[in-house]
Amino acid sequence: MTTTAVTTTARVQWCPLLALSLGALVSLPMLLVGCGTQVSKEEPAQPFVFRSLNLRQKDSSGRPLWELTSPEVRYDLGRRVAQARDLRGTIYAKGKPLYRITASSGTVINDGEVVQLEGPTRLQRLGPKPLVVTSTRVRWYPKQERMELDRSPRASQGALLVSARRARFWIKQDKLELRGDPLLEGSGAVGLKLALSSADWFPTTGQLIGRGPVRGERRLAASGVQKLSAPSLTGNSLLQLIDLQAPVQVLDPGRKGRLDASHTRLDLARERLSSAYPFTAVLDQSRLSGTGFEAIGPSHTLVVPLNCRLTQPTDSLFANSCSWNWQTNQIEALGAVELRRTALAQVTRSQRLQGVLTKQGMAVVSSPGARVESRVTLPPRARSGPDSRKPVPFAL
């Protein structure tokens, strides 16, 4: 009887830039180091199960570029394909760790030419304000320093969250390209969502470039949904700022409101919307305008710091500045306040006026404790008949 032995031999090639080591085989001690393994065999070999995987690459100066490890891997010597679980990795910049990678499973092709990460995959930029990128599938091309994320990619930093149908990450440029209807969200109490056509994010500087048209919405408990639009936006995730490019429009159908503004800034950390440019706002029967505004979420206050003007069907109010609390509907005008009423041609001047904005957008104001100067023109007394004049919206 003749017995034929099946032999498998491997020749190791050394490469200074890429090292692949597979830990001890479950049934046969073995170590492979190199960037290429040539295999000659008489019969197809079955995949080997190794106790660990350690894949790494260095630059020309010997500094690490990246590394990838796994506690268990099945390695096909003929195809040079490794299937691993519980993958952990690090991407370096100038020899120092910059990103951490985790994935539930993955496939390493051609000893690291392509790495496909699957299951919950997480890429976290290290530092005091970490950027976190997640996806359920990532194809990593180490030589090209590129990652393709095509299943539910999401990126977050602080209160800023961006999602898209697909994304591409350029490691050397530290640039995240978001494509396929990216959606930008503020995770704070503002509850703002902004839909874009595409966006680029640079985690190192925090720079965010969003291409429009920008379509947004904000859900409010009292008045429903506010709609926002702008042609494009820029921002900074480190500073938690978003700048909407002019013209900016906000619609509030529940309150019959509309805001038309120029360049407008969103401060996500402070929940503040502001602009330094002239604007106009309509709230049902009232029209508000001025130079600049600031809407402060925590205090529910809209402030017009300069050239405040409030006009209504029969009355108008001018002041150096004014404010409105949209929760209590209280309004206040300060500095050179002038109230003009069509009825009786009345003009009232004061340094301060306070009041309440009604549901119809009308203001009823008073001047408690302040000196008021009023001028009234009385019409000639009618010979007979009741006084048919209507009550005016401003009561002093």
Side-chain angles (χ1 to χ4, degrees), residues 5-12 30 32 36-46 48 75-80:
V6 178
T7 61
T8 301
T9 60
R11 186 172 63 211
V12 175
M30 189 173 186
L32 297 178
T37 303
Q38 297 180 353
V39 179
S40 61
K41 55 188 177 181
E42 297 179 6
E43 290 184 4
Q46 295 299 318
F48 293 131
Y75 188 74
D76 189 321
L77 292 173
R79 298 169 56 210
R80 293 167 61 193

Side-chain angles (χ1 to χ4, degrees), residues 116 183 265:
Q116 180 158 304
L183 181 66
R265 167 164 288 185

Side-chain angles (χ1 to χ4, degrees), residues 252-258 281-289 302 309-317 323-326 328-331 339 355-365 392-394:
D252 190 343
R255 298 182 63 98
K256 299 181 181 179
R258 170 175 171 169
V282 176
L283 186 65
D284 203 345
Q285 301 182 55
S286 295
R287 179 184 178 90
L288 178 67
S289 63
L302 173 68
R309 178 170 181 171
L310 176 65
T311 58
Q312 300 181 151
T314 59
D315 308 275
S316 58
L317 178 69
S323 64
W324 167 48
N325 185 306
W326 63 78
T328 63
N329 280 329
Q330 292 182 334
I331 60 174
L339 172 63
V356 176
L357 201 64
T358 67
K359 293 182 179 180
Q360 292 74 35
M362 305 298 288
V364 181
V365 300
V392 294
F394 288 112

Side-chain angles (χ1 to χ4, degrees), residues 84-247:
R85 63 174 179 83
D86 297 333
L87 286 161
R88 299 288 184 272
T90 304
I91 298 175
Y92 296 85
K94 298 181 180 179
K96 296 182 179 181
L98 183 62
Y99 283 93
R100 299 289 189 198
I101 306 171
T102 61
S104 59
S105 63
T107 303
V108 181
I109 303 171
N110 290 338
D111 300 339
E113 183 178 326
V114 181
V115 180
Q116 180 158 304
L117 306 172
E118 296 183 342
T121 302
R122 177 186 176 97
L123 178 67
Q124 179 175 344
R125 190 179 193 280
L126 306 178
K129 295 183 178 180
L131 172 79
V132 177
V133 182
T134 61
S135 180
T136 55
R137 185 172 70 182
V138 177
R139 289 190 302 276
W140 180 15
Y141 303 87
K143 289 184 179 179
Q144 302 176 27
E145 299 187 279
R146 172 171 60 93
M147 288 184 175
E148 300 286 344
L149 304 87
D150 59 3
R151 288 186 181 175
S152 306
R154 297 166 67 89
S156 62
Q157 190 169 46
L160 187 63
L161 171 65
V162 178
S163 58
R165 289 203 305 267
R166 62 185 183 278
R168 175 177 294 164
F169 180 50
W170 296 97
I171 298 172
K172 188 174 183 179
Q173 301 177 43
D174 206 24
K175 177 183 179 182
L176 182 65
E177 297 176 347
L178 296 142
R179 301 294 184 265
D181 302 324
L183 181 66
L184 189 153
E185 300 178 65
S187 61
V190 175
L192 181 69
K193 294 182 179 181
L194 300 174
L196 313 169
S197 61
S198 66
D200 293 336
W201 198 347
F202 298 85
T204 299
T205 62
Q207 182 185 12
L208 177 66
I209 302 172
R211 301 169 189 86
V214 180
R215 296 288 183 266
E217 67 175 37
R218 179 189 175 200
R219 293 191 174 276
L220 302 176
S223 58
V225 179
Q226 289 182 338
K227 299 290 185 178
L228 180 148
S229 63
S232 62
L233 64 81
T234 58
N236 190 294
S237 59
L238 297 177
L239 301 177
Q240 298 288 283
L241 298 176
I242 297 174
D243 292 320
L244 300 169
Q245 306 304 314

